[in-house]
Amino acid sequence: MVLFNLLIFVIVLGTIILVHEFGHFYFAKRAGILCHEFSIGMGPALWQKRKGETVYSIRGIPIGGYVSMAGESISDAMVKKGQAVGLKTNEQGKVTHIFLYDDPDATVAGVVGAFDLYGKDLEPLFIELETGGTTTRYEVLRHAQYAFSKKKSMWVTPAEKSFESKTLFERFLVIFAGPFMNFVLAIVLFAVVGFFVEKPMLETTVVDEISEGLPASLAGLPEGAMIKMIAGTETTSWTDLDGALKALDTPIITVEYEVDGIAHSTEMTVLVDVLTAGFSNYTMEGNDLETLEIYADEPIIGIGNATRAATDGNMKTGDLITKIQSGETVVDIDSWDDIIAFFRTNDRGEVTITYVRGDEVKEGTYTLISNDAITKLGRTPMQFVMGVSPESDFDLLYTLAYPFESVYANTMSVFRTIGLLADPNEDLGFGDLSGPVGIFSLVSNTASQGILSLVGFTAFLSINIGLLNLLPIPALDGGRLVFLGVEGIIRKPLNRRLENTINNLMFFLLLGLFVYVTFNDIVRLIKG
């Protein structure tokens, strides 16, 4: 199962990276920029194939990719003065290959003197070679190659094929195309999902589908039932039903409903997720409903993946809560009603939870995620789940609008998340971010929910990666766009050495953040 989930993870992330890098690659080739390599993945090469001027690679670490374009570094010349090289010339005496190793096919070998392998304003390329005390100048063809070994070579990079020689607009398109293609992919994937999603009919409370194994099913609520009342609150529409669930003060409720005009009632224990605190009144292995266990009689908790209750409070599924303290407020806990009541009025700051595990009494102290933060992330701070769905029907306009509405909603969610990270009033920081390990866990969990869920999550992840790359941070696409903007304002190219230094410095800072986030992901995984 782990290998299967790993394969799914590689396919999902690989697809997003492929589409992103293809955007850069397509517009670079269209602008006439020489692309040395198109790589999916980082690190050691697992597979490579040259086609034309470009080497296509699949590398061993599936966490990124790149398009290596001529003119991105300070100097693209692979030779330096005083270096021993060999040259291969054609019948006209022009250089076709520059050997950076000892190759018997070399026409002449010697030590490099002066050279110009850039040829600004279409000046002829040349290299001077000292052999036996004599210096000879050789003209170099603009499509000549560097040869690093028998199997590895690279084209020289004359000015007209360099990134820096292109117009400001062409360079903008090359950089922007990567993130843009991530949004195109998201729209396509959400369109696939939207084709299978019907428009919910929220005007009534008729239940169209009962999720097998969830509370409504366990309580015997039939499909087609019209829910009239939940825990004493009258419901005439699905919006009323949703509001009645959100307002619950207990997980054990009475549901009154009608079937064929005949009144019925049933009692059920709904699933409760307290997202601010990071625990619930149930536990389940993955998404296997056969393993669902609901805690109703006692304030026993279930712990989800990567919650602060587990990572900071050291709590585990099966712990029995006896007391919760927030500041000067101390509440004895006897039931889940007490837990719900506490977190209705305490949603921010540090809490200390006293709980029993086996024969031991323990304490866990950690910081809550506020109701406001949870709401901005598009979730309900305290969720109550019956396991019912409304009637729905195919609606063409709804289907056509679905991908664009989904992209907009997910984009706004990312912006809200970034805002929360920067908000000093919220107890959220870089430690709450997820890296590849966290994404692997999310992909594995989503894959178990079905192909449509996985397709939708891939679209969501593509949006995240697209927006992340557009952040105005050096070393990211957004940072490079900022540099282009500055160049457009001052009307002259920026100092390449300064720009590369800033990009390299930020790259190492981002690498440090990557290591930090990955470490936190591993800690969360270990703690469950």
Side-chain angles (χ1 to χ4, degrees):
M1 192 63 180
V2 174
L3 290 177
F4 175 76
N5 288 334
L6 183 61
L7 177 62
I8 295 296
F9 170 75
V10 170
I11 291 174
V12 167
L13 208 56
T15 299
I16 294 171
I17 294 169
L18 174 65
V19 169
H20 179 97
E21 298 303 335
F22 177 77
H24 292 311
F25 181 73
Y26 175 79
F27 280 93
K29 297 290 282 187
R30 184 175 177 178
I33 299 171
L34 172 60
C35 298
H36 296 301
E37 184 177 358
F38 179 102
S39 175
I40 302 301
M42 310 291 280
L46 302 179
W47 174 87
Q48 288 187 315
K49 183 177 179 62
R50 175 178 292 281
K51 185 174 181 181
E53 298 174 331
T54 305
V55 174
Y56 298 86
S57 304
I58 296 177
R59 295 183 175 271
I61 306 174
I63 58 171
Y66 59 87
V67 177
S68 176
M69 291 179 278
E72 289 187 298
S73 57
I74 296 174
S75 173
D76 285 301
M78 296 289 108
V79 297
K80 58 185 179 180
K81 194 171 182 178
Q83 180 179 358
V85 301
L87 304 179
K88 183 178 181 179
T89 59
N90 61 14
E91 294 178 356
Q92 290 75 39
K94 297 180 179 180
V95 176
T96 61
H97 292 79
I98 301 174
F99 295 107
L100 303 182
Y101 70 104
D102 186 15
D103 192 293
D105 290 336
T107 306
V108 62
V111 176
V112 177
F115 63 89
D116 180 4
L117 298 175
Y118 186 70
K120 189 175 181 180
D121 299 325
L122 296 180
E123 288 289 328
L125 308 186
F126 72 87
I127 185 170
E128 292 183 354
L129 217 62
E130 182 182 337
T131 306
T134 302
T135 300
T136 306
R137 172 174 290 200
Y138 297 89
E139 182 177 344
V140 179
L141 295 175
R142 303 187 88 82
H143 59 271
Q145 298 180 47
Y146 296 108
F148 302 97
S149 66
K150 283 289 186 182
K151 295 183 178 180
K152 187 176 180 181
S153 62
M154 185 179 84
W155 266 252
V156 298
T157 55
E160 69 275 10
K161 290 190 174 184
S162 295
F163 175 83
E164 63 172 4
S165 69
K166 302 306 173 181
T167 66
L168 200 65
F169 183 64
E170 286 175 323
R171 284 178 283 157
F172 167 82
L173 287 179
V174 171
I175 296 172
F176 181 72
F180 175 74
M181 287 301 295
N182 283 130
F183 287 94
V184 172
L185 174 63
I187 290 173
V188 171
L189 294 179
F190 276 132
V192 172
V193 175
F195 185 78
F196 296 93
V197 175
E198 296 181 329
K199 183 179 181 180
M201 300 171 65
L202 306 179
E203 297 79 13
T204 71
T205 58
V206 176
V207 177
D208 180 61
E209 186 176 336
I210 306 289
S211 297
E212 188 68 30
L214 290 183
S217 172
L218 298 175
L221 186 73
E223 293 181 355
M226 179 180 290
I227 298 177
K228 307 295 290 184
M229 193 172 291
I230 291 179
T233 300
E234 185 178 356
T235 57
T236 58
S237 68
W238 207 267
T239 303
D240 292 341
L241 186 153
D242 187 52
L245 285 175
K246 289 179 179 178
L248 289 178
D249 55 11
T250 177
I252 304 175
I253 63 172
T254 299
V255 177
E256 298 181 29
Y257 62 95
E258 287 184 2
V259 177
D260 297 329
I262 301 174
H264 302 267
S265 69
T266 184
E267 186 177 274
M268 69 179 70
T269 302
V270 297
L271 307 185
V272 183
D273 284 299
V274 186
L275 298 188
T276 51
F279 52 70
S280 60
N281 73 332
Y282 66 94
T283 182
M284 182 168 53
E285 295 179 10
N287 291 288
D288 185 2
L289 289 173
E290 293 185 358
T291 66
L292 176 67
E293 183 177 358
I294 305 174
Y295 308 119
D297 299 328
E298 295 181 288
I300 298 173
I301 60 169
I303 299 290
N305 290 330
T307 68
R308 291 183 176 183
T311 58
D312 298 341
N314 294 312
M315 301 175 72
K316 294 182 178 181
T317 293
D319 290 341
L320 175 69
I321 296 179
T322 59
K323 186 184 298 182
I324 305 178
Q325 179 176 350
S326 176
E328 300 298 320
T329 303
V330 181
V331 177
D332 291 325
I333 304 297
D334 297 314
S335 68
W336 257 93
D337 293 9
D338 296 331
I339 294 177
I340 293 171
F342 180 89
F343 288 107
R344 286 290 189 198
T345 56
N346 298 273
D347 76 307
R348 190 182 289 271
E350 191 174 81
V351 293
T352 298
I353 299 179
T354 304
Y355 56 94
V356 177
R357 181 183 299 162
D359 297 327
E360 296 182 88
V361 177
K362 296 177 173 287
E363 284 189 352
T365 300
Y366 60 98
T367 303
L368 301 174
I369 301 177
S370 72
N371 284 349
D372 187 49
I374 295 292
T375 302
K376 286 181 178 178
L377 292 172
R379 306 291 296 278
T380 303
M382 197 176 301
Q383 296 179 345
F384 298 85
V385 177
M386 291 172 56
V388 295
S389 301
E391 291 183 311
S392 59
D393 198 6
F394 177 77
D395 184 293
L396 180 60
L397 291 179
Y398 181 82
T399 298
L400 294 176
Y402 182 86
F404 301 99
E405 291 178 349
S406 297
V407 168
Y408 175 78
N410 282 280
T411 299
M412 291 301 101
S413 177
V414 175
F415 282 132
R416 286 192 293 268
T417 301
I418 294 172
L420 288 170
L421 290 173
D423 189 344
N425 297 317
E426 296 294 345
D427 293 305
L428 292 168
F430 291 116
D432 294 294
L433 298 175
S434 283
V437 176
I439 294 172
F440 170 74
S441 298
L442 289 170
V443 169
S444 300
N445 184 57
T446 306
S448 66
Q449 300 174 29
I451 185 64
L452 282 184
S453 294
L454 183 62
V455 170
F457 179 77
T458 303
F460 165 74
L461 193 58
S462 186
I463 291 171
N464 275 259
I465 291 176
L467 286 175
L468 174 65
N469 273 278
L470 284 176
L471 292 178
I473 299 173
L476 299 180
D477 293 330
R480 298 180 68 188
L481 291 175
V482 170
F483 285 133
L484 286 184
V486 173
E487 180 182 332
I489 293 171
I490 66 176
R491 298 187 177 278
K492 67 177 182 178
L494 298 177
N495 183 286
R496 289 179 69 186
R497 187 177 297 277
L498 175 62
E499 183 178 341
N500 280 9
T501 299
I502 294 173
N503 281 330
N504 290 336
L505 177 62
M506 185 53 66
F507 173 79
F508 284 109
L509 290 176
L510 291 174
L511 186 61
L513 176 61
F514 170 81
V515 172
Y516 171 72
V517 169
T518 302
F519 174 77
N520 284 338
D521 281 342
I522 294 172
V523 170
R524 293 189 191 108
L525 194 64
I526 292 173
K527 291 188 175 183

